[in-house]
Amino acid sequence: MASNEESQDFTLKAEKAEKEIERLQAEIDLLSDPAQLKKEGLVSPDLEKLRVENQKLKFQLKHLKQSLVEEQKRGAGRNFSLDIRGIIEDIFALAIYRAFPEVPNPTILVMPSSKFADYQCNSAMSIAQQLGSITGQKKNPREVAQAIVKELPETEYFEKIDIAGPGFINITLKQEFVLREVAFLLTQGVKPPKTDKKRVVIDYSSPNIAKEMHVGHLRSTIIGDGLARLLEWVGHDVLRLNHLGDWGTQFGMLIAHLVDKFPKLLEERPNISDLQAFYKESKARFDTDEVFKRRAYDCVVKLQAKDPFYYKAWKIIYDISMEETYKLYKRLKVSDQLIERGESFYQDRMVAVVKELQDLGRIEKDEEGRMVMPVGGFSVPLMVVKSDGGYTYDTSDLACIKQRLLEENGDWLLYVVDSGQSNHLETVFKAAHELGWADKSKHRIEHVAFGLVLGEDK
Ligand code: ARG
C-alpha cells in the first residue's frame, strides 16, 4: 500500500500530466486551424518549418508501416527465403526518405559489392544531383551519404556500415543473420518469396509451321519454357501459348504448289521431308513467278474463308508439321502444358476485331486499297486487311491480345520473341491501350526480346 504522502504525490503528478495534455491538445488544435493561427498573429516562418516537419513525419510513418508489414512477413514461422537485397533496399529507402523528404522519387540503388563489403548503396551520388537541381546548390555526395547513414533504423542485419570514396555506402552483414539464412537454405531449400498471384499468359516457341523451325524459335522455346517454369514455381497461374504461324502466306504457297505437284494430297499424306522439299520449291516459284504469287495469295484468302478443300489440305500439312515439332519438344523436355494456339485460332475473332475497328472509325484505306490502323507514336500503321481481303500478322496479333486480356483475363502478358519484332509488338501493345482493352494500372504487357541469330549470309 502506498503511504499517504506517496498517493498525494501521485495525484499531483497526474494533475500535472492532465494539464500538460490539455495544453498540448490546445496547441495541436491551434496548429491545425490556419484561420485561428492568423487571428492569433501566429503565422510565422515557424509554421513553414512545422509543415515540412509534418511532411517528413508523414513520410516516415508511411514507410515505417510498410517496413513493419515486411518485417512481419519475414518473421517467425516463415517458409520462404529472404530477398536480402530487397530488405536492404527497403531499409535504405526508409533512411533516404527520412533524410531527404524533399526529394521526389529518390533513386534507391543497392547492389552486391565485390570487394570491401557484402552490399553497397550507391544512391548518394544521384540524390546529391537531385538535391542540386531542387535547391540550385551543389551538394556533396559524401555528406548526403552521411545523412542517409544517420537515419538508418536500428536493425538486426548489419555488422558495419561505412562510407567510401565519393559517397558509396558499404554494407557488411551480421554473421548471425547470414548464418541463419544459410541454415534455412540448407534445411528447407530455396523457397519462393511471397507473391501476389497473377494470371500470366506467356507466348513462346511459336514456330511457323510448314516451314522449318529456325534457331530463333529454338531460343524462344527454351527461354519461354524456363520463364514459364520459374513464374509457376513462384506461385503464378501460368498459361503457356504456342502462337503458331499457321495461317499465313506460306500455306497459300504450299497448297497452290501441291495442287500442281501432289494432287492426291487429300488421299495420300506426303511425309515431312517431301513437305519440306515442296515448301522450298513453292517459295522459289513464289519469289520469281508473278502468276503463281497471285494464286498463292488467292489460296490464303480461300483458306481464311475456310473453303473445305483448302481447309482440309491445311489440316493435313498442319498435322504433319506438328508431329515434327513435337519430336523436338520431347527432346528438349518442353512442358506438355504448352497449348497450340496459332494464328488460325483467331480467324473469327479477326473478323470481329476488323468490324470493331471500322465501327470505331479507327481504320483508314491507304492508296493501295489496304485497310490500316494508325497508332499514336508509331510511323508505320498496323495493316489490318490487305487489298485482296486477306488478314495479316498484325490482324492476328490484335485479335490475339484482345483475347488474352478480355477472355483469358491475363494480368501479365509475356511475348518471348526475337528483338527484330519489337516494333511490331510495341505497336500492337499501344493499339490495345488505345482501344481500351489494356489498362496501364492493371496489366503488365512485355516483349521478352532476345537477339537475332543471323545465317552465314547475314
Ligand atoms: N510465328 C512468329 C514468327 O516466327 C512468332 C510469333 C510470336 N508471337 C506473336 N504473338 N506474334 O516470327
Side-chain angles (χ1 to χ4, degrees):
M1 264 310 271
S3 72
N4 211 20
E5 221 170 290
E6 271 175 333
S7 81
Q8 229 170 16
D9 194 36
F10 274 134
T11 320
L12 273 177
K13 272 197 184 136
E15 259 172 34
K16 216 170 138 200
E18 250 164 44
K19 285 255 157 62
E20 184 64 15
I21 290 169
E22 261 169 41
R23 193 185 65 77
L24 281 173
Q25 190 55 54
E27 206 163 299
I28 289 170
D29 292 345
L30 183 65
L31 283 175
S32 51
D33 181 358
Q36 189 63 21
L37 275 176
K38 224 181 194 156
K39 228 169 73 195
E40 303 273 335
L42 273 177
V43 180
S44 69
D46 288 349
L47 181 62
E48 212 26 56
K49 248 204 224 147
L50 284 172
R51 282 225 178 97
V52 172
E53 195 58 31
N54 192 18
Q55 270 282 0
K56 245 184 181 176
L57 287 172
K58 273 191 189 152
F59 258 125
Q60 282 189 21
L61 196 64
K62 190 169 138 216
H63 287 278
L64 276 172
K65 274 188 189 154
Q66 210 175 321
S67 2
L68 194 66
V69 172
E70 294 298 312
E71 201 58 44
Q72 274 164 355
K73 282 196 234 158
R74 282 176 205 131
R78 139 171 86 79
N79 60 353
F80 52 93
S81 318
L82 288 189
D83 166 14
I84 296 182
R85 197 177 67 95
I87 293 176
I88 302 176
E89 223 166 57
D90 285 352
I91 294 173
F92 273 80
L94 176 64
I96 288 168
Y97 282 118
R98 280 180 181 172
F100 302 106
E102 64 274 40
V103 178
N105 305 319
T107 320
I108 316 286
L109 211 63
V110 171
M111 51 188 67
S113 173
S114 50
K115 265 197 207 136
F116 307 109
D118 296 320
Y119 288 88
Q120 62 190 63
C121 170
N122 298 347
S123 295
M125 281 62 80
S126 65
I127 290 175
Q129 251 173 20
Q130 282 172 293
L131 279 168
S133 55
I134 293 170
T135 59
Q137 259 175 20
K138 264 209 171 145
K139 193 87 184 161
N140 178 349
R142 235 191 125 87
E143 280 167 27
V144 172
Q146 274 155 359
I148 295 172
V149 172
K150 222 177 110 207
E151 294 292 348
L152 280 173
E154 198 58 48
T155 71
E156 53 167 325
Y157 308 119
F158 306 139
E159 179 68 46
K160 201 172 73 183
I161 303 276
D162 41 33
I163 299 169
F168 298 105
I169 306 173
N170 285 332
I171 303 155
T172 307
L173 296 177
K174 261 217 175 87
Q175 234 179 40
E176 302 96 83
F177 169 55
V178 177
L179 264 174
R180 197 182 72 202
E181 282 312 298
V182 172
F184 181 93
L185 272 177
L186 291 175
T187 54
Q188 323 253 345
V190 180
K191 292 280 164 70
K194 286 267 171 303
T195 29
D196 285 345
K197 187 169 175 164
K198 294 258 161 25
R199 169 103 167 133
V200 181
V201 180
I202 175 164
D203 174 325
Y204 70 94
S205 193
S206 311
N208 301 318
I209 59 172
K211 290 189 209 176
E212 251 172 293
M213 207 190 239
H214 62 64
V215 66
H217 297 123
L218 215 52
R219 287 189 129 183
S220 170
T221 307
I222 294 165
I223 298 170
D225 207 55
L227 264 179
R229 284 169 198 231
L230 180 68
L231 292 170
E232 205 163 60
W233 177 75
V234 165
H236 295 297
D237 168 21
V238 177
L239 178 65
R240 297 160 162 89
L241 297 181
N242 197 353
H243 192 87
L244 299 161
D246 63 0
W247 209 229
T249 315
Q250 78 264 30
F251 282 91
M253 278 167 24
L254 194 54
I255 296 173
H257 185 64
L258 287 171
V259 167
D260 298 340
K261 294 287 153 78
F262 199 85
K264 302 176 302 261
L265 175 66
L266 298 194
E267 297 99 59
E268 208 179 289
R269 257 170 82 108
N271 64 37
I272 185 72
S273 46
D274 291 344
L275 205 60
Q276 264 153 13
F278 285 135
Y279 176 78
K280 285 204 179 105
E281 289 164 22
S282 75
K283 172 83 173 116
R285 284 178 82 184
F286 184 86
D287 290 340
T288 53
D289 178 346
E290 273 307 309
V291 179
F292 180 79
K293 192 173 188 162
R294 241 173 295 131
R295 261 182 67 205
Y297 280 130
D298 212 41
C299 286
V300 180
V301 175
K302 289 200 179 108
L303 172 62
Q304 292 185 350
K306 297 197 178 159
D307 174 298
F309 171 78
Y310 293 88
Y311 196 72
K312 263 187 218 151
W314 169 81
K315 185 73 176 101
I316 290 170
I317 302 168
Y318 182 104
D319 290 344
I320 298 170
S321 301
M322 284 318 284
E323 266 170 40
E324 272 322 282
T325 307
Y326 278 106
K327 280 187 198 153
L328 185 93
Y329 288 165
K330 205 168 160 207
R331 286 184 69 183
L332 291 175
K333 299 201 171 65
V334 172
S335 162
D336 58 10
Q337 307 287 317
L338 176 60
I339 295 171
E340 282 168 39
R341 194 177 286 172
E343 294 163 9
S344 60
F345 173 86
Y346 300 98
Q347 177 57 34
D348 298 340
R349 289 174 178 82
M350 287 195 267
V351 178
V353 161
V354 171
K355 179 156 188 316
E356 178 177 346
L357 297 181
Q358 275 170 325
D359 291 348
L360 289 168
R362 291 298 310 255
I363 280 186
E364 290 170 9
K365 250 208 167 106
D366 74 0
E367 41 321 322
E368 277 155 72
R370 301 177 292 204
M371 292 201 218
V372 299
M373 175 189 176
V375 178
F378 292 88
S379 55
V380 182
L382 290 173
M383 208 224 281
V384 182
V385 187
K386 291 188 290 186
S387 50
D388 63 10
Y391 295 145
T392 72
Y393 191 46
D394 293 354
T395 331
S396 58
D397 260 323
L398 277 175
C400 158
I401 199 166
K402 183 177 183 192
Q403 200 274 345
R404 289 176 187 177
L405 289 164
L406 303 182
E407 290 181 51
E408 296 297 351
N409 294 313
D411 305 306
W412 188 3
L413 310 188
L414 290 169
Y415 291 73
V416 187
V417 186
D418 71 69
S419 58
Q421 297 196 29
S422 119
N423 201 61
H424 162 75
L425 289 173
E426 294 302 333
T427 316
V428 171
F429 299 168
K430 179 74 194 314
H433 284 96
E434 285 184 358
L435 292 163
W437 302 336
D439 176 349
K440 275 234 151 61
S441 66
K442 277 215 303 262
H443 302 113
R444 178 167 168 184
I445 306 180
E446 281 161 317
H447 175 198
V448 179
F450 53 85
L452 280 176
V453 181
L454 302 179
E456 279 173 39
D457 57 3
K458 303 285 175 242

